[in-house]
Amino acid sequence: MAEVRVQVPDEIMAELKSTLGLRTNTDIVEEALTMLNWAAEEKKNGRQIFSARPDGKDVTRLAMRSLMNGVRSTV
């Protein structure tokens, strides 16, 4: 198992815990890696990732350098 150490400001971690209802820093990292893994799989499958308001308007595409440049589509 890989061990990763990063420094993140306490206020960012506290805000994420509060917003997401998580208890530990490990929970935040696990959730973040789960989402990144999902996004990478979506990109590998030739899909784009978007965010939109509930009414479907104001659509924005996820812009993340590693997903835009680093993931090779298998489709």
Side-chain angles (χ1 to χ4, degrees), residues 21-52:
L22 300 173
R23 294 183 304 116
T24 68
N25 293 347
T26 298
D27 292 340
I28 292 171
V29 173
E30 287 174 351
E31 292 289 317
L33 290 174
T34 297
M35 186 168 189
L36 184 58
N37 185 59
W38 170 80
E41 287 296 319
E42 291 294 295
K43 293 295 285 186
K44 277 197 313 192
N45 291 322
R47 299 176 62 87
Q48 297 291 317
I49 301 166
F50 296 93
S51 169

Side-chain angles (χ1 to χ4, degrees), residues 46-71:
R47 299 176 62 87
Q48 297 291 317
I49 301 166
F50 296 93
S51 169
R53 291 190 334 215
D55 62 7
K57 296 181 180 176
D58 192 25
V59 177
T60 304
R61 184 174 59 169
L62 175 65
M64 191 173 178
R65 185 177 56 234
S66 61
L67 292 176
M68 291 167 40
N69 301 327
V71 178

Side-chain angles (χ1 to χ4, degrees), residues 4-34:
V4 179
R5 293 183 182 266
V6 296
Q7 292 185 334
V8 180
D10 291 334
E11 51 276 359
I12 290 175
M13 297 304 279
E15 179 67 24
L16 285 168
K17 285 178 196 172
S18 175
T19 300
L20 299 172
L22 300 173
R23 294 183 304 116
T24 68
N25 293 347
T26 298
D27 292 340
I28 292 171
V29 173
E30 287 174 351
E31 292 289 317
L33 290 174
T34 297

